[in-house]
Amino acid sequence: MIQRILVTGGAGFLGSHLCERLVDAGHDVICLDNFFTSQKSNVTHLLGKPNFELLRHDVTLPIFLEVDQIYNLACPAAPGHYQYNPIKTIKTSVMGAINLLGMAKRCGARILQASTSEVYGDPEVHPQVESYRGSVNPIGIRACYDEGKRVAETLFMDYHRSNSVDIRFVRIFNTYGPRMHPFDGRVVSNFIRQALGNEPITIFGQGEQTRSFCYRDDLVQGMMAMMNNETDFIGPANIGNPNEFTIRELAEQVINLSGSRSELIFQPLPSDDPTRRRPDIELAKDRLGWQPEIMLQEGLTRTIEWFRSIDLSEYRPPTPNYQ
Ligand code: NAD
Ligand code: UDP
């Protein structure tokens, strides 16, 4: 059935891909964004479509729309950019959730929150299962993002329990792919940009910390499976790829796959940088029938190809906080 679907943060890396999928499926899609960490060029190819609409708006302010589904992705996701104005980051997660949950309540819409593996902080449980309550430093430099997302989860559950709002939430683990902002400052975009320019690859710390990288298409597929599951399973569900790599291994793969002459350089590790991260995805497999299909080598190859095709001068760094 054709639905009216709002995607907040819809011009971003994941949001623009989600909008594309929803428009192609024939839905009536409203993409809402303040373009803090994205730009219109991510969705210009959709602008001519009769079932696509683009709104410049900030989710910290209320807005009245009539919709059937809401995907709430609005929030800067890269550490450098979300730490640039940490108070705004918390407002985005918390006030954004309140405004959109209010909309969902008024319209009777289903609403999905793009939560994050950061709710587990620097985890003491490995791999991370949804029942683990996390280890977040509430006064650290990542707290504006981590605690903002944790409060958003709390608001989702409270609107569900108190007002019967139809919610879903997923915890997204590190995701990469084409259309990442080249000056986003996250590890995959930094390493590929640096490798293609034969510039030094900036490893923070010794590069022994781990992440588990999920390709964009797999992630969006998992998010849509969660939104459209008609069982009583509302989440949280970890969505990510459980194959774990050290950051040094990632750098070596990027150099090999891009044929780069870059060398590795080591810079100080930012505080509270999680040591190990890997999702347990048994719940998503079991309840959603979902699992990732694109492994790192293939995903990186596609992403490197996309980075080769873009003109960096057409991108404005969102803040000075990228390498
Ligand atoms: P992104 O930065 O490309 O997308 C976020 C979008 O939200 C951008 O278009 C940005 O301009 C917009 N935005 C930010 N603040 C806003 C505001 N106040 N009002 C309206 N729009 C606003 O990042 P992404 O990787 O596409 O992430 C999308 C969502 O997924 C985020 O909520 C992020 O926290 C979550 N997530 C992503 C990852 C990942 O690895 N990509 C991991 C965990 C969680
Ligand atoms: N990182 C790095 N060099 C960079 C950017 C990031 O070594 O140029 C490291 C960072 O310290 C972290 C990991 O890569 O350990 C992933 O960082 P990212 O910002 O992509 O996401 P995070 O999972 O930390 O939110």
Side-chain angles (χ1 to χ4, degrees):
M1 196 178 52
I2 303 293
Q3 312 244 40
R4 298 165 302 177
I5 305 180
L6 170 65
V7 181
T8 76
F13 160 53
L14 294 177
S16 60
H17 188 63
L18 175 63
C19 285
E20 209 167 271
R21 293 279 307 267
L22 297 172
V23 165
D24 286 348
H27 295 295
D28 186 358
V29 177
I30 303 172
C31 166
L32 180 157
D33 209 294
N34 71 351
F35 304 110
F36 173 38
T37 52
S38 59
Q39 47 197 58
K40 272 185 255 173
S41 60
N42 282 350
V43 287
T44 38
H45 60 296
L46 298 174
L47 283 175
K49 310 255 185 184
N51 55 337
F52 181 77
E53 197 176 340
L54 181 60
L55 285 182
R56 182 186 288 264
H57 181 79
D58 194 303
V59 293
T60 58
L61 301 170
I63 184 166
F64 289 81
L65 299 166
E66 305 303 323
V67 292
D68 305 306
Q69 287 189 345
I70 304 167
Y71 287 88
N72 185 30
L73 274 65
C75 187
H81 301 323
Y82 72 61
Q83 287 163 20
Y84 179 74
N85 184 345
I87 296 163
K88 179 62 195 280
T89 300
I90 302 183
K91 284 185 180 174
T92 295
S93 277
V94 176
M95 294 163 74
I98 292 171
N99 288 328
L100 293 156
L101 283 160
M103 182 189 293
K105 182 181 166 194
R106 180 174 53 78
C107 298
R110 179 174 294 173
I111 179 166
L112 177 141
Q113 168 69 355
S115 191
T116 168
S117 52
E118 285 284 323
V119 301
Y120 302 122
D122 189 3
E124 304 119 325
V125 168
H126 199 76
Q128 289 81 60
V129 282
E130 288 84 349
S131 54
Y132 174 50
R133 293 181 187 176
S135 168
V136 172
N137 173 4
I139 56 171
I141 57 172
R142 294 174 86 103
C144 59
Y145 181 77
D146 301 9
E147 299 288 18
K149 290 279 189 180
R150 286 170 67 98
V151 172
E153 286 198 4
T154 307
L155 283 162
F156 267 66
M157 283 308 298
D158 285 337
Y159 269 76
H160 176 63
R161 281 189 289 252
S162 307
N163 298 112
S164 306
V165 172
D166 187 11
I167 65 158
R168 300 283 184 275
F169 58 128
V170 290
R171 293 180 178 154
I172 301 172
F173 284 64
N174 295 65
T175 302
Y176 68 99
R179 228 183 270 147
M180 288 189 95
H181 197 300
F183 300 108
D184 171 277
R186 279 182 277 189
V187 70
V188 175
S189 45
N190 270 6
F191 285 5
I192 295 180
R193 201 190 69 243
Q194 291 161 343
L196 293 181
N198 292 309
E199 293 161 12
I201 303 256
T202 52
I203 295 202
F204 299 164
Q206 291 308 302
E208 296 307 315
Q209 70 272 36
T210 68
R211 295 294 186 272
S212 306
F213 297 99
C214 185
Y215 189 67
R216 172 200 74 176
D217 299 41
D218 283 332
L219 191 285
V220 169
Q221 185 66 32
M223 203 158 48
M224 291 172 68
M226 186 67 194
M227 174 64 106
N228 295 309
N229 107 74
E230 297 299 339
T231 70
D232 60 357
F233 182 51
I234 60 173
N238 290 337
I239 302 285
N241 189 320
N243 288 343
E244 185 180 1
F245 298 88
T246 67
I247 293 305
R248 193 194 277 253
E249 284 169 339
L250 176 73
E252 282 157 4
Q253 280 229 36
V254 169
I255 290 175
N256 289 338
L257 293 171
S258 60
S260 171
R261 298 189 304 277
S262 293
E263 290 176 2
L264 306 184
I265 57 164
F266 295 86
Q267 297 188 344
L269 188 67
S271 66
D272 294 337
D273 199 289
T275 314
R276 293 181 76 190
R277 180 182 290 156
R278 176 181 180 208
D280 179 305
I281 59 164
E282 291 310 308
L283 204 51
K285 274 190 192 166
D286 182 41
R287 302 298 299 266
L288 305 176
W290 173 88
Q291 62 180 337
E293 286 171 3
I294 299 171
M295 297 305 134
L296 189 63
Q297 185 169 336
E298 184 184 349
L300 281 180
T301 304
R302 292 188 198 182
T303 311
I304 290 168
E305 210 170 293
W306 181 79
F307 269 80
R308 281 192 205 280
S309 75
I310 61 170
D311 177 355
L312 289 183
S313 70
E314 289 173 5
Y315 290 82
R316 174 188 52 84
T319 76
N321 297 348
Y322 65 92
Q323 284 292 315

